[in-house]
Amino acid sequence: MQSMRNTPDFGKIKKKIMRKIYLIWMVKRLTTPFALETFGLILVFILLTEYISFINIWHNSQGLIFSPFGMAGFLFSAFLSTEILTKILIISLLVFLSFFLKDIFKTAQRYVFPKLIRI
């Protein structure tokens, strides 16, 4: 009686099964909420660079750097005068950024800053 390990098809079957297992593992790792939020944040930022010239915004706001209210007013008026697609992308960026920061702080609270006293 011949063992299954000695058949020539066993290596092919093993490679095929292991390839599927690795694919499932990779998909599970890439579809975590943190990975999806990071991907969304990067994608929205790349799309924003197509519609917004950040260098021109920086040059136009040079005199307002040391005035927080002046900078806020400048950014708010710039936001109000943009197209609707740009507004949607900016709001999407802020939403993805808030989820991203929430996950960062949650992870830092859990692993970096240990719980000192619990009552």
Side-chain angles (χ1 to χ4, degrees):
M1 182 173 198
Q2 192 178 20
S3 172
M4 188 175 168
R5 288 188 180 261
N6 294 334
T7 60
D9 291 334
F10 179 74
K12 291 179 184 178
I13 294 171
K14 182 179 176 184
K15 285 181 183 179
K16 192 174 183 179
I17 291 171
M18 290 307 293
R19 193 174 300 130
K20 288 181 181 180
I21 290 172
Y22 288 138
L23 178 68
I24 291 170
W25 176 80
M26 183 61 72
V27 167
K28 284 184 178 182
R29 294 290 288 182
L30 291 176
T31 56
T32 62
F34 184 73
L36 292 175
E37 291 164 5
T38 305
F39 177 73
L41 185 67
I42 292 169
L43 181 67
V44 170
F45 187 75
I46 289 171
L47 288 173
L48 267 176
T49 59
E50 295 293 321
Y51 292 98
I52 297 176
S53 172
F54 291 104
I55 294 172
N56 287 341
I57 292 174
W58 176 255
H59 288 299
N60 290 338
S61 65
Q62 283 295 316
L64 303 172
I65 291 176
F66 300 110
S67 171
F69 293 113
M71 181 65 95
F74 171 76
L75 292 175
F76 186 70
S77 66
F79 177 77
L80 289 179
S81 64
T82 60
E83 297 176 1
I84 188 70
L85 181 61
T86 308
K87 290 177 185 176
I88 291 171
L89 286 173
I90 290 172
I91 292 170
S92 300
L93 179 74
L94 293 175
V95 168
F96 276 115
L97 186 63
S98 67
F99 286 138
F100 183 78
L101 291 175
K102 178 192 68 134
D103 285 344
I104 293 288
F105 287 129
K106 189 187 296 183
T107 304
Q109 183 182 12
R110 183 179 298 150
Y111 296 111
V112 177
F113 305 113
K115 297 176 178 115
L116 298 176
I117 297 175
R118 276 267 167 150
I119 296 176

